[in-house]
Amino acid sequence: MTAKPPKNINIVPFVSVDNMMKLVLGVGVETFLRELADYIEADFRRWDLFDKTPRIASHSAEGVIELMPTSDGEVYGFKYVNGHPKNFREGLQTVTGFGVLSRVDNGYPVLLSEMTILTALRTAATSALAAKYLAPRGAGCMAIIGNGAQSEFQAMAFKALLGITKLRLYDIDPAAIEKCVRNLAGKGFEIVRCDSAETAVEGAQIITTVTADKQYATILTDNMVGSGIHINAVGGDCPGKTELHKDILLRSDIFVEYPPQTRVEGEIQQLPGDHPVTELWTVIAGEAVGRRDAGQTTLFDSVGFAIEDFSALRYVRDKVASTTFFDRLDMIADPNDPRDLFGMVLRADKAA
Amino acid sequence: MTAKPPKNINIVPFVSVDNMMKLVLGVGVETFLRELADYIEADFRRWDLFDKTPRIASHSAEGVIELMPTSDGEVYGFKYVNGHPKNFREGLQTVTGFGVLSRVDNGYPVLLSEMTILTALRTAATSALAAKYLAPRGAGCMAIIGNGAQSEFQAMAFKALLGITKLRLYDIDPAAIEKCVRNLAGKGFEIVRCDSAETAVEGAQIITTVTADKQYATILTDNMVGSGIHINAVGGDCPGKTELHKDILLRSDIFVEYPPQTRVEGEIQQLPGDHPVTELWTVIAGEAVGRRDAGQTTLFDSVGFAIEDFSALRYVRDKVASTTFFDRLDMIADPNDPRDLFGMVLRADKAA
């Protein structure tokens, strides 16, 4: 009466933290970021296909837990992610996550993966992808203001995709700068440690802001940003958390992932709800212009969107398949007769 | 500078399908259902505490994939669940799922569990809990119309919570009836196989409808339901899927889990949006009356709500802790210095 189900459909491949690290190193960090950016770029080109909904957030006094689902009609994916700025003071990650891909046609999961490391990689890959379309031609030097957990990923992605090899680093905590310098040693960068944000931006064609405080901050003021600069604003990514002075926004051409989400979470929460922005995907798909001229100030107001996580999970699924970097989880109940779930439970006694 | 993080916070306990079956059998099916109902009852009593949102559904031509999040302010939980009626014909489960509990204060997951079996258990426990407040006094006989995957769980829950031992079974497929009879053998039931829904309801004080077709069906018509009956309507649980004739709804007192969700997914999708219903939690909390008199027809329009899954995950977390029925997943990246995520990845080479 029933067709034979696919074999082992009840077993879900799981990429642990340890296996994700081995996968990234096995592929090579720069290759991983380049290939991941290709997957994101491909999905941005078919943006219209996706189910899009702003993330579903559960806010508390100390942070937020979010679910970010999307689907391209064949594959469904979601990410679980938290954001707890105070975690840092307790020796915990501010942002952790995991994600799942499933088949739309039968609802069965096909991948469970850690996404703390993967989110850091996809955030950096998306920033570099945006800069590929928005940064001034021939940019070779980037300032990174905020040298926390995301900073080295940004540096590696900009090197992998744009060939950026000169970095100017600044953090309010000198130890963070040293950590960043140490981690990037031998990776082909020429690094200058700076003692202020003002110094860091000198001579940089790209400014990446990636600080961590959950508060309205002003990491960059208007006078610090010369014309022709591309700003990659990564740290302002939830309500109440911004990094740029409003005047910078007002004279920049602003590019965003998904306006309904960015207007709530991004730098542009400081602007009226109808302030003109360009959706990044339209630039990638050739429907809108990115950088027009050398004097233009461009701003990528990054908050992180579900489709990027979807692309990242797709990439990991494809990449991990030919490796041993995954475990097999017995996650989905699979009785021989689908109506006999109770019988399967009863028989577990005998199987044991 | 940073406090010492809790030990092994990066490791998430995982209850596989195999371990869930062992846990259920180890505890005993009836005890499990009774204790699970206690957890659900406790959470329904503190209903106001919970973050409530209708499930977030991603619909496709062949089914739906849903995320059902909730939080009590201390613990956050969500369930991933699919519903694909056509899966049955392919030898797959119509409904599968898994769930996660996390700490609200830091966002770290504390449990990942299979929820295909657990959802079947919580659905049955919720039905029996509702019947404890709504079924006529001294009810001893239940009709179960639809003898698929959920039917035995319903039977066991009604025995465990209400002492129901007489069952009248009907399914359009005689093989399903036989499967149900076989699985319930030796469990203390007196079972009558019936050849129609009309026959099945004769002499039953409780009628459980739990059929599976995704379409407007009429399993029960008005003339089949005598006065004083409690109807436990389980199968109508998504848009376009109902089991009862509208006339039965019009003369029943209707109890629901969460009106905004039930009006879309439950039997009452057939009624105007302002038709009066009583929220089950208000009955459990003593704020509303359940059954008033022996002649009243009561109807629990079950669709399944996130809080029940939350209760079920809480119960499993508490219950599994003292057993060996879980695995440890390396799911959350946990560098010694939370800012040194990239360094942790680089060092994985040396650790390997």
Side-chain angles (χ1 to χ4, degrees):
Chain A
M1 173 170 176
T2 55
K4 204 179 163 186
K7 216 181 152 196
N8 293 334
I9 194 171
N10 57 317
I11 300 297
V12 180
F14 165 59
V15 181
S16 67
V17 173
D18 189 51
N19 276 324
M20 181 62 76
M21 296 193 294
K22 287 174 176 153
L23 179 66
V24 172
L25 293 177
V27 172
V29 180
E30 286 190 57
T31 304
F32 192 105
L33 285 161
R34 237 185 333 256
E35 292 180 351
L36 173 53
D38 287 345
Y39 271 65
I40 296 170
E41 190 167 22
D43 285 341
F44 272 49
R45 281 190 208 281
R46 56 192 194 118
W47 189 265
D48 279 338
L49 264 176
F50 285 89
D51 241 8
K52 282 169 288 286
T53 169
R55 54 182 91 182
I56 302 108
S58 175
H59 291 278
S60 63
E62 290 162 312
V64 64
I65 298 176
E66 300 175 322
L67 298 173
M68 302 167 71
T70 191
S71 164
D72 68 0
E74 285 188 14
V75 179
Y76 168 95
F78 80 88
K79 178 167 81 167
Y80 167 104
V81 64
N82 76 301
H84 287 72
K86 60 101 205 177
N87 274 5
F88 170 64
R89 291 188 297 276
E90 298 167 11
L92 301 176
Q93 284 298 109
T94 302
V95 175
T96 72
F98 62 90
V100 169
L101 279 186
S102 305
R103 286 173 53 160
V104 167
D105 65 346
N106 64 22
Y108 275 56
V110 296
L111 178 72
L112 170 68
S113 176
E114 87 80 35
M115 286 193 81
T116 308
I117 296 165
L118 190 58
T119 295
L121 289 156
R122 77 87 162 116
T123 300
T126 304
S127 278
L129 174 63
K132 210 176 77 171
Y133 290 91
L134 300 177
R137 254 171 212 285
C141 177
M142 175 161 82
I144 305 182
I145 301 174
N147 299 158
Q150 172 64 205
S151 59
E152 300 96 333
F153 293 95
Q154 289 283 336
M156 294 300 288
F158 276 75
K159 175 159 184 284
L161 271 83
L162 284 89
I164 300 285
T165 53
K166 291 182 183 174
L167 300 178
R168 299 178 66 82
L169 305 184
Y170 171 67
D171 195 287
I172 47 167
D173 180 1
I177 304 179
E178 290 312 316
K179 174 222 57 162
C180 189
V181 169
R182 206 163 48 237
N183 282 332
L184 295 176
K187 304 285 178 212
F189 290 103
E190 194 180 307
I191 300 179
V192 178
R193 299 166 176 84
C194 302
D195 57 8
S196 69
E198 286 80 357
T199 315
V201 302
E202 278 172 19
Q205 293 87 39
I206 300 172
I207 303 174
T208 289
T209 57
V210 57
T211 60
D213 267 340
K214 186 176 180 173
Q215 60 184 36
Y216 294 104
T218 307
I219 308 303
L220 286 186
T221 53
D222 195 35
N223 63 318
M224 289 163 64
V225 180
S227 68
I229 297 296
H230 174 62
I231 304 171
N232 172 39
V234 179
D237 63 354
C238 66
K241 184 159 172 254
T242 60
E243 297 180 311
L244 307 185
H245 193 281
K246 192 177 160 181
D247 289 347
I248 298 177
L249 307 182
L250 292 175
R251 70 175 167 88
S252 299
D253 287 311
I254 301 173
F255 299 83
V256 305
E257 289 142 315
Y258 184 57
Q261 186 179 313
T262 312
R263 291 196 191 277
V264 174
E265 302 175 358
E267 294 298 329
I268 59 170
Q269 64 187 278
Q270 303 179 65
L271 301 182
D274 61 351
H275 188 90
V277 298
T278 304
E279 293 185 57
L280 180 59
W281 76 267
T282 61
V283 176
I284 291 173
E287 297 180 16
V289 177
R291 172 165 290 270
R292 275 190 325 271
D293 58 61
Q296 186 187 13
T297 303
T298 51
L299 167 63
F300 175 47
D301 188 359
S302 157
V303 296
F305 189 57
I307 293 177
E308 296 149 26
D309 299 310
F310 180 92
S311 312
L313 288 168
R314 273 207 311 122
Y315 174 63
V316 167
R317 181 197 56 183
D318 292 352
K319 207 71 191 175
V320 87
S322 61
T323 74
T324 58
F325 300 140
F326 63 94
D327 300 304
R328 292 171 174 83
L329 296 191
D330 163 33
M331 203 156 114
I332 302 299
D334 184 38
N336 292 334
D337 173 356
R339 291 181 307 191
D340 199 17
L341 190 63
F342 188 78
M344 184 180 78
V345 175
L346 292 184
R347 288 187 297 271
D349 234 0
K350 285 148 200 159
Chain B
M1 176 175 177
T2 56
K4 204 177 167 193
K7 216 181 155 196
N8 292 334
I9 194 169
N10 57 317
I11 300 298
V12 180
F14 165 59
V15 181
S16 68
V17 173
D18 189 50
N19 276 324
M20 181 63 76
M21 297 193 294
K22 287 176 177 153
L23 179 67
V24 172
L25 292 178
V27 173
V29 179
E30 288 191 57
T31 303
F32 192 105
L33 285 161
R34 237 184 334 254
E35 292 180 349
L36 173 53
D38 287 344
Y39 270 66
I40 297 170
E41 192 167 20
D43 284 342
F44 272 49
R45 281 190 207 281
R46 56 191 193 118
W47 190 264
D48 278 337
L49 264 177
F50 285 89
D51 241 8
K52 284 170 287 287
T53 170
R55 53 183 92 182
I56 302 107
S58 176
H59 292 277
S60 64
E62 291 162 312
V64 65
I65 297 176
E66 299 174 323
L67 298 173
M68 302 166 72
T70 191
S71 164
D72 68 1
E74 284 188 13
V75 178
Y76 169 95
F78 79 89
K79 179 167 81 167
Y80 167 103
V81 63
N82 75 301
H84 287 73
K86 61 101 205 176
N87 273 6
F88 171 65
R89 292 188 297 277
E90 297 168 13
L92 301 176
Q93 285 296 112
T94 303
V95 175
T96 71
F98 62 89
V100 170
L101 280 187
S102 305
R103 286 172 55 159
V104 167
D105 65 344
N106 63 24
Y108 275 57
V110 296
L111 178 73
L112 170 68
S113 176
E114 86 80 33
M115 285 194 80
T116 308
I117 297 165
L118 189 59
T119 295
L121 289 157
R122 76 87 161 119
T123 300
T126 304
S127 279
L129 174 63
K132 210 176 76 172
Y133 290 91
L134 301 177
R137 256 172 210 286
C141 177
M142 176 161 81
I144 304 182
I145 301 174
N147 300 157
Q150 173 63 204
S151 59
E152 301 97 332
F153 293 95
Q154 289 282 336
M156 294 301 288
F158 276 76
K159 176 159 182 284
L161 271 82
L162 284 89
I164 300 286
T165 53
K166 292 182 183 175
L167 298 178
R168 299 179 66 81
L169 305 183
Y170 172 67
D171 194 288
I172 47 169
D173 181 0
I177 305 179
E178 291 312 316
K179 175 223 58 163
C180 190
V181 169
R182 204 162 51 238
N183 282 334
L184 295 176
K187 303 285 179 214
F189 290 102
E190 195 180 306
I191 300 179
V192 178
R193 299 168 175 82
C194 303
D195 56 8
S196 70
E198 287 80 356
T199 317
V201 302
E202 280 172 18
Q205 293 88 38
I206 300 171
I207 303 173
T208 290
T209 57
V210 56
T211 60
D213 266 341
K214 186 174 179 171
Q215 59 184 38
Y216 293 103
T218 306
I219 309 303
L220 286 185
T221 53
D222 195 34
N223 63 320
M224 288 163 66
V225 180
S227 67
I229 297 295
H230 174 62
I231 304 171
N232 172 40
V234 179
D237 63 353
C238 66
K241 183 157 171 258
T242 61
E243 298 180 311
L244 308 184
H245 193 282
K246 190 178 161 182
D247 289 347
I248 298 177
L249 307 182
L250 292 175
R251 70 174 167 88
S252 300
D253 288 311
I254 301 173
F255 299 83
V256 305
E257 291 144 312
Y258 184 58
Q261 186 178 315
T262 313
R263 292 196 191 278
V264 174
E265 301 175 359
E267 295 297 330
I268 59 170
Q269 65 187 275
Q270 303 179 65
L271 301 182
D274 60 352
H275 188 87
V277 298
T278 304
E279 293 184 57
L280 180 59
W281 77 269
T282 61
V283 177
I284 291 173
E287 296 180 16
V289 177
R291 174 165 289 269
R292 273 191 326 271
D293 59 62
Q296 185 189 12
T297 303
T298 51
L299 167 62
F300 175 49
D301 189 359
S302 156
V303 297
F305 188 58
I307 294 177
E308 297 147 27
D309 299 311
F310 180 90
S311 313
L313 289 168
R314 271 206 313 124
Y315 174 63
V316 168
R317 180 197 55 183
D318 292 351
K319 206 72 190 173
V320 87
S322 61
T323 74
T324 57
F325 300 140
F326 63 95
D327 301 305
R328 291 172 175 83
L329 297 191
D330 163 33
M331 205 158 113
I332 303 299
D334 184 40
N336 292 335
D337 173 355
R339 290 180 307 191
D340 199 18
L341 189 62
F342 188 77
M344 184 180 77
V345 174
L346 292 185
R347 287 187 296 271
D349 233 1
K350 286 150 200 158

Coordinates of all heavy atoms in Angstrom, one line a residue, chain B residues 17 20 56 77 85 90 93 147-148 161 163 171 184-185 193 216 225 239 254 274 280 288 292 301 316 329 348:
Chain B
V17 N 15.5 9.4 19.0 CA 14.3 8.6 18.9 C 14.5 7.4 19.8 O 13.6 7.0 20.6 CB 14.0 8.2 17.5 CG1 12.9 7.2 17.4 CG2 13.7 9.5 16.6
M20 N 14.3 8.3 23.4 CA 13.0 8.6 23.8 C 12.1 7.4 24.1 O 11.4 7.3 25.1 CB 12.3 9.5 22.7 CG 10.9 10.0 23.1 SD 10.8 11.1 24.6 CE 11.5 12.6 23.9
I56 N 4.6 29.8 13.4 CA 5.1 30.5 12.1 C 5.2 29.4 11.1 O 6.0 28.5 11.1 CB 6.5 31.1 12.3 CG1 6.4 32.1 13.5 CG2 7.0 31.7 11.1 CD1 7.1 31.7 14.7
G77 N 11.5 27.8 24.6 CA 11.4 26.5 23.9 C 10.8 26.7 22.5 O 10.0 27.7 22.3
P85 N 0.4 15.4 4.8 CA -0.6 14.2 4.7 C -0.2 13.2 3.7 O -0.3 12.0 3.9 CB -1.9 14.9 4.3 CG -1.8 16.3 4.9 CD -0.3 16.7 4.7
E90 N 3.9 7.5 1.1 CA 5.3 7.2 0.7 C 6.0 6.4 1.8 O 7.2 6.3 1.8 CB 6.0 8.5 0.4 CG 5.4 9.2 -0.8 CD 5.9 10.7 -0.9 OE1 6.9 11.0 -0.2 OE2 5.3 11.4 -1.7
Q93 N 6.3 9.4 8.0 CA 5.5 10.0 9.0 C 4.8 11.3 8.4 O 5.5 12.1 7.8 CB 6.3 10.4 10.2 CG 6.6 9.2 11.1 CD 5.4 8.5 11.7 OE1 5.1 7.4 11.3 NE2 4.7 9.2 12.5
N147 N -8.0 5.4 13.5 CA -7.1 4.5 14.3 C -5.7 4.6 13.8 O -5.0 3.5 13.8 CB -7.7 3.1 14.4 CG -9.1 3.0 15.0 OD1 -9.8 2.1 14.7 ND2 -9.5 4.0 15.8
G148 N -5.3 5.7 13.4 CA -3.9 5.9 12.9 C -2.9 6.1 14.1 O -3.1 5.6 15.2
L161 N -5.4 9.0 32.8 CA -5.9 10.1 33.6 C -7.4 10.0 34.0 O -7.8 10.6 35.0 CB -5.8 11.4 32.7 CG -4.4 12.1 32.9 CD1 -3.4 11.5 32.0 CD2 -4.6 13.6 32.5
G163 N -9.2 6.8 33.7 CA -9.7 5.4 34.0 C -10.6 4.8 32.9 O -11.3 3.9 33.2
D171 N -12.3 2.8 11.9 CA -11.4 3.5 10.9 C -11.9 3.0 9.6 O -12.4 1.9 9.4 CB -9.9 3.1 11.1 CG -9.0 4.0 10.3 OD1 -8.9 3.9 9.1 OD2 -8.3 4.8 11.0
L184 N -2.9 -2.4 21.7 CA -3.4 -2.1 23.0 C -3.7 -3.4 23.7 O -4.2 -3.4 24.9 CB -4.7 -1.3 22.9 CG -4.5 0.1 22.3 CD1 -5.9 0.8 22.1 CD2 -3.6 0.9 23.2
A185 N -3.4 -4.6 23.1 CA -3.6 -5.9 23.8 C -2.8 -6.0 25.1 O -1.7 -5.5 25.1 CB -3.2 -7.0 22.8
R193 N -14.6 -3.6 18.1 CA -14.3 -3.1 16.7 C -15.7 -2.7 16.1 O -16.6 -3.5 16.1 CB -13.7 -4.2 15.9 CG -12.4 -4.8 16.4 CD -12.1 -6.1 15.6 NE -10.8 -6.7 15.9 CZ -10.5 -7.5 16.9 NH1 -11.5 -7.7 17.8 NH2 -9.3 -8.0 17.1
Y216 N -11.9 19.2 4.1 CA -13.1 19.4 4.9 C -13.8 18.0 4.9 O -14.3 17.6 3.8 CB -14.0 20.5 4.4 CG -13.4 21.8 4.6 CD1 -12.8 22.5 3.5 CD2 -13.3 22.5 5.8 CE1 -12.2 23.7 3.6 CE2 -12.7 23.7 6.0 CZ -12.2 24.3 4.8 OH -11.6 25.6 5.0
V225 N -24.5 12.5 17.7 CA -24.0 13.0 19.0 C -25.1 13.2 20.0 O -25.8 14.2 19.8 CB -23.1 14.2 18.8 CG1 -22.5 14.6 20.2 CG2 -21.9 13.9 17.9
P239 N -5.7 24.7 8.4 CA -6.7 25.3 7.5 C -7.1 24.3 6.5 O -6.3 23.6 5.8 CB -5.9 26.5 6.9 CG -4.8 26.8 7.9 CD -4.4 25.5 8.5
I254 N -17.6 25.1 23.4 CA -16.3 24.8 22.8 C -15.2 25.3 23.6 O -15.2 26.5 24.0 CB -16.3 25.5 21.4 CG1 -17.5 24.9 20.5 CG2 -15.0 25.2 20.7 CD1 -17.6 25.6 19.2
D274 N -16.2 35.5 15.7 CA -16.5 36.0 17.1 C -17.4 34.9 17.8 O -17.9 35.3 18.9 CB -17.2 37.3 17.0 CG -18.5 37.2 16.2 OD1 -18.8 36.1 15.5 OD2 -19.3 38.2 16.1
L280 N -9.2 26.8 27.4 CA -9.0 25.7 28.4 C -8.3 26.1 29.6 O -8.6 25.7 30.7 CB -8.3 24.5 27.7 CG -8.0 23.3 28.5 CD1 -9.3 22.7 29.0 CD2 -7.2 22.2 27.7
A288 N -12.9 29.8 34.9 CA -14.1 29.6 34.1 C -14.6 28.2 34.5 O -13.8 27.4 35.0 CB -13.8 29.7 32.6
R292 N -20.8 22.1 33.1 CA -21.8 22.6 34.0 C -22.8 21.6 34.4 O -23.2 21.5 35.6 CB -22.6 23.7 33.3 CG -22.1 25.1 33.3 CD -23.1 26.1 32.8 NE -24.0 25.5 31.7 CZ -23.7 25.5 30.4 NH1 -22.7 26.1 30.0 NH2 -24.6 25.0 29.6
D301 N -11.6 21.5 21.0 CA -11.1 21.6 19.6 C -9.6 21.7 19.7 O -9.0 22.8 19.6 CB -11.8 22.9 19.1 CG -11.5 23.1 17.6 OD1 -10.9 22.2 17.0 OD2 -12.0 24.0 17.0
V316 N 10.7 16.2 29.8 CA 11.8 15.3 29.3 C 13.2 15.7 29.9 O 14.0 14.9 30.3 CB 11.9 15.3 27.8 CG1 13.1 14.6 27.3 CG2 10.6 14.5 27.2
L329 N 25.8 16.6 22.6 CA 26.2 17.2 21.3 C 27.1 18.4 21.5 O 26.7 19.3 22.3 CB 25.0 17.6 20.5 CG 24.0 16.5 20.1 CD1 23.0 17.1 19.1 CD2 24.7 15.3 19.5
A348 N 42.1 24.5 16.0 CA 41.5 23.2 15.9 C 42.5 22.3 15.1 O 42.5 21.0 15.3 CB 40.2 23.3 15.1

